[in-house]
Amino acid sequence: MYKFITKLVFIVSFSCSFSASSQWYETQGHARTNDISVELARTKAMENALKKALLVSGASVSSVQQVVNGLLTQDQISIRASGSVNSIELVDEIHSDNLITVTIRADIFPQEKKCFAVNFKKSLLITRSHLLQREQANIGEIYLIDKSVMRKLAVQLNQQSTFTKTSSILNNKTEFSRLNNSLASDEISQLTQSLSESTNSQYVMFSEITNVSFDKQATNSWLFWQQGVYPRNFAISFYLYNGINGELVWQQRYQNTAPWTFTKRINVDVDGNAFWQSEYGMMVENILDKVIKDIDENIMCEPSRGKIIQVQGNQVTINIGRDHGLKIGDEFSLLHLNHFTDNSGKSYAGFNLSPYKVKVTKLSRETATATTPDGRLFGNIQVDDLAVRY
């Protein structure tokens, strides 16, 4: 068992005043030692555990770390929501097969949360990516990387994200890439709303893999191939849309390069452990970790919206429930849909804030029943209107 205590340097992204008493959070982190050193695996496990501790306390974290001899010696962290860490302690370390598990305690000063919406998870639909230049996938025949990467992202989001509840449709491609290439924003909005409607998702994510090429010098040099190390690029662009109104919420492009350690003529299974434990696979996975952090930071304070699926007397049923973090007694405002068309004929999704507020009285995993506290009957509230927590 290893123990140490280290101070962390913080860059706080907003002005704040901390409460007088701090609180300890104990969390576990995991990492596999396949093809990497024990020291590096230990550090990755500690990063995982520390991130969990900070997110549990209500913080969203990005970190830049310097590692010397497997110990965390410097950490610069930007916190968006709340919390400041005074110290961390490595409590326990267990090695089992190729898995290392660490337990840490983090001494965190709490702070009032920046927004109420962080209490709830937003439903997010992941769609299959699109490989823009298919010929670049010839070496290794990694044509299914458009499906594999998004499957990995969906799994990691459900495991790591504090603010999303993720589902996916990966067997078939959408028309997004064709529409995006032709700048058909209205059609993309309609596609987004259609997918949102059919899957009960508040957000829909599209993506395009723009580069999986090799360095030209590497592909033209036989000697380079004989050496068994070939730099290969990976670039991917993400587009996150609000499923309610079809508007683009966030987009970002990520890219990196890592050695391709497979032989030139072998077909690589992009769903297999050999790929994801290779240097190239780990590079792609590191990009996905950044994507998860960016998704969380961009939707954590967005209002949690549930669609009304039933209206009965002074009672509504909405399509978010216990799995999204709702609790008995949570209060929601109601929005009445008010679509309109401008002078150019472009359609917009508008909303009228209803005077009614409702309180959750019954819960299932996927739905909630809420009633008006004073028993008042609803006026113009109807199915497909929204219940919103800001």
Side-chain angles (χ1 to χ4, degrees), residues 13-14 55 58-60 79-82 111-122 161-164 202-203 240 242 249 292-305 388-390:
S13 60
F14 58 92
L55 291 179
S60 179
I79 301 178
R80 175 169 178 172
S82 63
Q111 180 204 351
E112 290 295 320
K113 290 182 178 177
K114 185 178 179 181
C115 53
F116 291 112
V118 298
N119 292 320
F120 302 106
K121 289 190 173 185
K122 285 79 172 178
S161 173
T162 303
F163 308 113
T164 62
Q202 185 173 342
Y203 293 93
L240 182 67
N242 187 322
V249 175
I292 293 169
K293 175 188 70 67
D294 289 344
I295 292 172
D296 272 353
E297 289 194 347
N298 278 277
I299 71 174
M300 59 183 287
C301 287
E302 290 294 314
S304 295
R305 293 176 173 177
V388 182
R389 174 70 180 267
Y390 284 96

Side-chain angles (χ1 to χ4, degrees), residues 31-42 44 277 282:
R32 295 202 170 272
T33 55
N34 306 75
D35 301 321
I36 62 175
S37 67
V38 172
E39 289 79 14
L40 181 56
R42 180 188 301 121
K44 289 174 70 69
Q277 292 171 7
M282 288 191 291

Side-chain angles (χ1 to χ4, degrees), residues 94-362:
I94 299 173
H95 296 251
S96 176
D97 295 327
N98 294 324
L99 183 71
I100 181 171
T101 301
V102 300
T103 302
I104 70 163
R105 289 195 196 101
D107 185 17
I108 300 177
F109 288 94
Q111 180 204 351
E112 290 295 320
K113 290 182 178 177
K114 185 178 179 181
C115 53
F116 291 112
V118 298
N119 292 320
F120 302 106
K121 289 190 173 185
K122 285 79 172 178
S123 52
L124 170 65
L125 177 68
I126 300 291
T127 63
R128 185 167 177 169
S129 190
H130 182 73
L131 186 60
L132 289 187
Q133 302 184 64
R134 186 175 170 81
E135 70 279 1
Q136 292 181 350
N138 289 344
I139 296 177
E141 295 193 8
I142 57 171
Y143 305 112
L144 293 179
I145 195 169
D146 56 356
K147 183 178 181 180
S148 174
V149 167
M150 302 314 290
R151 180 186 289 114
K152 174 71 74 170
L153 176 62
V155 170
Q156 291 187 194
L157 272 166
N158 277 327
Q159 291 176 345
Q160 300 178 26
S161 173
T162 303
F163 308 113
T164 62
K165 179 181 180 294
T166 306
S167 59
S168 59
I169 49 172
L170 302 177
N171 288 332
N172 298 304
K173 296 179 181 178
T174 70
E175 291 294 305
F176 171 78
S177 192
R178 179 183 64 81
L179 297 174
N180 193 44
N181 185 57
S182 58
L183 303 178
S185 58
D186 287 346
E187 287 83 351
I188 291 175
S189 176
Q190 293 170 13
L191 172 64
T192 300
Q193 292 177 74
S194 174
L195 289 171
S196 171
E197 173 77 23
S198 63
T199 60
N200 279 334
S201 301
Q202 185 173 342
Y203 293 93
V204 178
M205 173 168 281
F206 303 104
S207 62
E208 295 176 323
I209 298 175
T210 57
N211 191 4
V212 291
S213 68
F214 287 87
D215 182 82
K216 289 184 178 180
Q217 182 179 358
T219 56
N220 293 331
S221 171
W222 175 248
L223 178 61
F224 198 89
W225 282 103
Q226 285 181 317
Q227 294 173 352
V229 178
Y230 342 107
R232 190 169 200 170
N233 301 300
F234 182 79
I236 185 168
S237 296
F238 285 93
Y239 306 84
L240 182 67
Y241 284 83
N242 187 322
I244 304 297
N245 54 26
E247 293 181 350
L248 180 64
V249 175
W250 164 80
Q251 72 177 79
Q252 184 66 47
R253 184 174 187 269
Y254 303 82
Q255 61 180 351
N256 206 343
T257 302
W260 183 257
T261 53
F262 303 94
T263 58
K264 184 176 183 179
R265 293 180 176 84
I266 190 174
N267 294 342
V268 178
D269 178 10
V270 288
D271 286 318
N273 289 334
F275 172 77
W276 286 106
Q277 292 171 7
S278 69
E279 291 186 68
Y280 188 83
M282 288 191 291
M283 176 270 291
V284 174
E285 192 165 357
N286 285 337
I287 286 178
L288 298 184
D289 286 340
K290 296 177 183 176
V291 174
I292 293 169
K293 175 188 70 67
D294 289 344
I295 292 172
D296 272 353
E297 289 194 347
N298 278 277
I299 71 174
M300 59 183 287
C301 287
E302 290 294 314
S304 295
R305 293 176 173 177
K307 185 171 289 187
I308 296 174
I309 56 178
Q310 185 181 55
V311 181
Q312 191 172 14
N314 73 323
Q315 173 178 292
V316 294
T317 302
I318 58 179
N319 66 349
I320 55 177
R322 188 181 298 112
D323 284 356
H324 302 84
L326 270 67
K327 301 182 296 296
I328 298 295
D330 284 337
E331 292 187 346
F332 285 81
S333 297
L334 300 184
L335 294 180
H336 178 60
L337 287 176
N338 181 28
H339 294 293
F340 63 93
T341 303
D342 66 11
N343 293 334
S344 64
K346 186 174 181 179
S347 179
Y348 292 89
F351 306 98
N352 290 336
L353 179 61
S354 167
Y356 306 104
K357 285 196 173 184
V358 293
K359 182 177 292 187
V360 174
T361 56
K362 297 179 183 178

Side-chain angles (χ1 to χ4, degrees), residues 45-97:
M46 289 183 61
E47 287 181 283
N48 179 244
L50 180 57
K51 180 179 179 181
K52 289 179 182 177
L54 285 161
L55 291 179
V56 164
S57 72
S60 179
V61 182
S62 60
S63 64
V64 178
Q65 301 180 333
Q66 293 182 357
V67 181
V68 178
N69 296 325
L71 296 181
L72 186 67
T73 58
Q74 180 177 335
D75 201 339
Q76 294 181 326
I77 297 181
S78 297
I79 301 178
R80 175 169 178 172
S82 63
S84 177
V85 174
N86 180 50
S87 63
I88 62 172
E89 179 182 4
L90 180 56
V91 177
D92 196 13
E93 180 176 326
I94 299 173
H95 296 251
S96 176
D97 295 327

